[in-house]
């Protein structure tokens, strides 16, 4: 059954995807420390900025992030379309004595939200990429924010999401080859990979959130450069991002003032050179001439599209193209100028691409045993997740600035 919106998908599953079930102040405090690190260190947003700020959070789910913001002193307005979450949110705020910070809780999604109030900060994490076209939610955020207000979003980045799509394609092929149910197939293929990292959610939840989620697809994923361009056109400047969307190696006199257009141009150039880094989940910065950068980017784009096509048709026309594209990208990296922390990082991405090349080759031979053997034992496959989740903070420009 096709889903209209992401929250409809979770409503049908009758679950709250991010429910942490915090029972003590210590559990909440540990989570708040993680959020403080993200916002202060990576996003350059001090928790002090939230003190007495009017904060609107879209899609808070069960409210863990909202609790943290309230703990930093924010007055929270929450727009959560899934009514299953409302009782959890209200219980959380009462349990941790923060009910006075819950200004309003409404059953609305982004496009349906109506308010005459303006906000200092808008937060929308984990789902906003599914609200398309992107300009729709950017316009809504711009209308709702005070001048110089910030919007914080997290989303699936198109190039960073390659390995998520590849796992979905391998899972689809595994189901087709064995005829086994989704959960059994996933555990057979990915149990070793899943157990290689710390996690708070269950394997079953990951199956639902990623492998079976109809919104984890190329058509929803956002290209970082296109997103920054759209935000610029809607009246926003880039404040911060993780991974970094500004070129941290850029050097010029501190009194030099760049135009908004020039800032965007420099960010776009940096993002083009960062696509392999996003795919690999490590610093693999493309430093060669722009023609070489464009060629790598085009090959990654084609690879992402083709592996996404395998999710619907594991043995169709996309499969041989995926196999050949993985080999071509693997080989081209060896001759491309790349800035990395260590030569081992370049060897690691080469080994990863080779691993996926062998896995998809086994799929092409319809060899289910070989596929499973590789996914359960190959270190390059087990240790690679890419960088699918990106955070972006944009700031509403003052009128006339």
């Amino acid at each position: 059954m096709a889903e209209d919106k992401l929250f409809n998908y979770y409503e049908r599953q009758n679950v709250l995807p991010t429910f942490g079930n915090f029972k003590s102040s210590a559990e909440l405090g540990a989570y708040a420390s993680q959020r403080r690190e993200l916002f202060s260190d990576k996003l350059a947003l001090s928790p002090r900025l939230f003190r007495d700020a009017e904060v609107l959070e879209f899609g808070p789910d069960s409210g863990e992030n909202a609790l943290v913001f309230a703990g930093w002193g924010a007055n929270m307005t929450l727009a959560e379309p899934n009514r299953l979450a409302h009782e959890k949110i209200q219980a959380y705020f009462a349990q941790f004595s923060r009910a006075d910070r819950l200004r309003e809780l409404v059953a609305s999604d982004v496009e349906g939200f109506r308010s005459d109030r303006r906000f200092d900060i808008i937060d929308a994490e984990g789902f906003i990429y599914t609200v398309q076209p992107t300009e729709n939610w950017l316009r809504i955020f711009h209308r709702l924010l005070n001048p110089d207000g910030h919007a914080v979003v997290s989303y699936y980045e198109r190039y960073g999401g390659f390995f998520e799509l590849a796992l979905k394609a391998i899972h689809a092929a595994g189901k087709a080859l064995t005829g086994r149910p989704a959960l059994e197939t996933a555990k057979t293929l990915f149990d070793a990979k899943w157990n290689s990292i710390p996690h708070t959610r269950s394997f079953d939840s990951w199956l639902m959130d990623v492998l079976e989620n109809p919104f984890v697809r190329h058509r929803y994923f956002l290209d970082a450069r296109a997103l920054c361009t759209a935000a610029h056109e809607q009246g926003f400047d880039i404040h911060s991002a993780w991974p970094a969307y500004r070129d941290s190696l850029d050097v010029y006199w501190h009194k030099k003032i760049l135009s908004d257009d020039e800032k965007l141009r420099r960010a776009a150039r940096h993002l083009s050179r960062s696509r392999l880094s996003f795919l690999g989940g490590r610093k693999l910065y493309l430093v060669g001439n722009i023609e070489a950068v464009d060629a790598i980017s085009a090959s990654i784009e084609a690879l992402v599209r083709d592996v996404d096509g395998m999710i619907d048709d594991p043995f169709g026309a996309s499969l041989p193209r995926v196999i050949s594209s993985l080999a071509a990208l693997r080989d081209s990296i060896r001759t491309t100028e790349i800035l990395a922390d260590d030569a081992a990082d370049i060897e690691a991405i080469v080994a990863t691409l080779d691993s996926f090349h062998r896995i998809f080759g086994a799929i092409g031979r319809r060899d289910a045993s070989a596929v499973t053997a590789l996914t359960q034992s190959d270190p390059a496959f087990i240790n690679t997740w890419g960088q699918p989740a990106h955070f972006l903070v944009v700031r509403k420009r003052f009128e006339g600035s």
Side-chain angles (χ1 to χ4, degrees):
M1 174 180 176
E3 305 290 348
D4 179 41
K5 296 183 178 180
L6 183 59
F7 76 85
N8 297 135
Y9 171 69
Y10 285 115
E11 279 184 329
R12 287 188 62 238
Q13 309 300 322
N14 196 33
V15 296
L16 301 176
T18 66
F19 182 45
N21 196 25
F22 295 152
K23 293 184 171 64
S24 68
S25 296
E27 290 178 313
L28 176 58
Y31 183 69
S33 295
Q34 295 175 4
R35 296 288 289 179
R36 178 181 292 271
E37 169 71 13
L38 170 63
F39 275 73
S40 295
D41 187 61
K42 296 180 175 66
L43 300 181
L45 291 175
S46 169
R48 279 182 174 271
L49 190 68
F50 287 77
R51 188 173 298 170
D52 294 322
E54 295 299 323
V55 176
L56 168 61
E57 183 179 1
F58 285 111
D61 195 48
S62 46
E64 285 82 356
N65 291 344
L67 272 179
V68 173
F69 295 148
W72 292 346
N75 299 311
M76 299 302 303
T77 297
L78 305 182
E80 173 50 62
N82 186 351
R83 291 184 180 274
L84 294 173
H86 287 209
E87 183 179 348
K88 297 290 186 184
I89 292 170
Q90 292 166 331
Y92 258 157
F93 273 77
Q95 177 185 350
F96 292 102
S97 302
R98 294 178 186 174
D100 60 321
R101 291 290 179 180
L102 183 56
R103 186 180 293 279
E104 189 175 8
L105 172 60
V106 297
S108 176
D109 63 4
V110 173
E111 293 167 299
F113 182 78
R114 299 289 182 270
S115 178
D116 294 327
R117 297 164 51 215
R118 295 297 177 264
F119 300 89
D120 302 306
I121 299 170
I122 293 176
D123 185 83
E125 298 180 37
F127 74 95
I128 198 66
Y129 70 99
T130 68
V131 180
Q132 296 192 357
T134 299
E135 288 77 9
N136 283 3
W137 57 264
L138 283 169
R139 278 193 291 268
I140 293 168
F141 287 11
H142 194 272
R143 174 174 56 81
L144 292 169
L145 277 172
N146 288 316
D148 216 32
H150 296 83
V152 183
V153 299
S154 67
Y155 69 97
Y156 266 107
E157 205 280 330
R158 181 167 295 168
Y159 301 93
F162 166 72
F163 288 116
E164 297 277 75
L165 296 178
L167 295 180
K168 288 172 70 80
I170 294 168
H171 184 239
K175 289 188 293 183
L177 286 171
T178 65
R180 294 173 180 166
L183 179 58
E184 183 182 349
T185 301
K187 287 190 172 181
T188 299
L189 291 169
F190 306 130
D191 188 59
K193 185 175 181 67
W194 178 253
N195 290 327
S196 70
I197 59 170
H199 41 72
T200 56
R201 59 179 172 175
S202 67
F203 188 95
D204 298 43
S205 177
W206 178 62
L207 173 73
M208 180 186 67
D209 286 344
V210 177
L211 299 180
E212 295 287 280
N213 190 334
F215 291 91
V216 180
R217 297 298 300 269
H218 175 271
R219 63 180 172 272
Y220 293 108
F221 290 3
L222 304 180
D223 170 35
R225 188 172 67 174
L227 174 57
C228 290
T229 300
H232 171 79
E233 292 171 349
Q234 295 297 326
F236 291 101
D237 291 323
I238 300 169
H239 175 79
S240 61
W242 189 259
Y245 284 8
R246 287 179 173 173
D247 183 0
S248 60
L249 298 178
D250 205 2
V251 178
Y252 54 87
W253 189 35
H254 72 278
K255 290 186 179 181
K256 180 178 180 179
I257 298 176
L258 302 179
S259 69
D260 294 330
D261 288 343
E262 177 61 17
K263 290 176 184 177
L264 176 66
R265 189 188 71 80
R266 294 187 180 205
R269 180 181 61 195
H270 169 68
L271 289 168
S272 293
R273 294 183 178 274
S274 299
R275 284 171 174 166
L276 186 61
S277 300
F278 296 165
L279 182 146
R282 64 185 74 209
K283 186 194 295 182
L284 298 164
Y285 197 69
L286 299 170
V287 295
N289 62 58
I290 193 61
E291 290 78 13
V293 172
D294 288 344
I296 289 280
S297 293
S299 67
I300 294 173
E301 172 67 22
L303 179 58
V304 172
R305 286 183 180 276
D306 282 332
V307 83
D308 181 81
M310 283 187 60
I311 297 169
D312 299 318
D313 187 5
F315 309 112
S318 293
L319 175 56
R321 293 198 298 266
V322 168
I323 295 170
S324 62
S325 294
L326 283 166
L329 182 59
R330 176 197 63 197
D331 296 341
S332 66
I333 286 173
R334 294 189 183 277
T335 60
T336 299
E337 294 180 75
I338 295 173
L339 174 63
D341 286 333
D342 192 280
D345 291 322
I346 298 176
E347 291 304 315
I349 188 61
V350 168
T352 298
L353 293 170
D354 185 63
S355 173
F356 277 81
H357 178 256
R358 286 183 283 121
I359 290 169
F360 282 102
I363 291 172
R365 299 190 304 273
R366 312 296 201 274
D367 190 342
S369 297
V371 173
T372 301
L374 287 165
T375 61
Q376 290 286 9
S377 65
D378 191 321
F381 172 83
I382 290 171
N383 296 327
T384 298
W385 294 88
Q387 187 72 38
H390 284 214
F391 280 81
L392 174 65
V393 182
V394 293
R395 184 178 59 253
K396 180 178 175 177
R397 287 196 292 268
F398 279 103
E399 295 297 327
S401 65

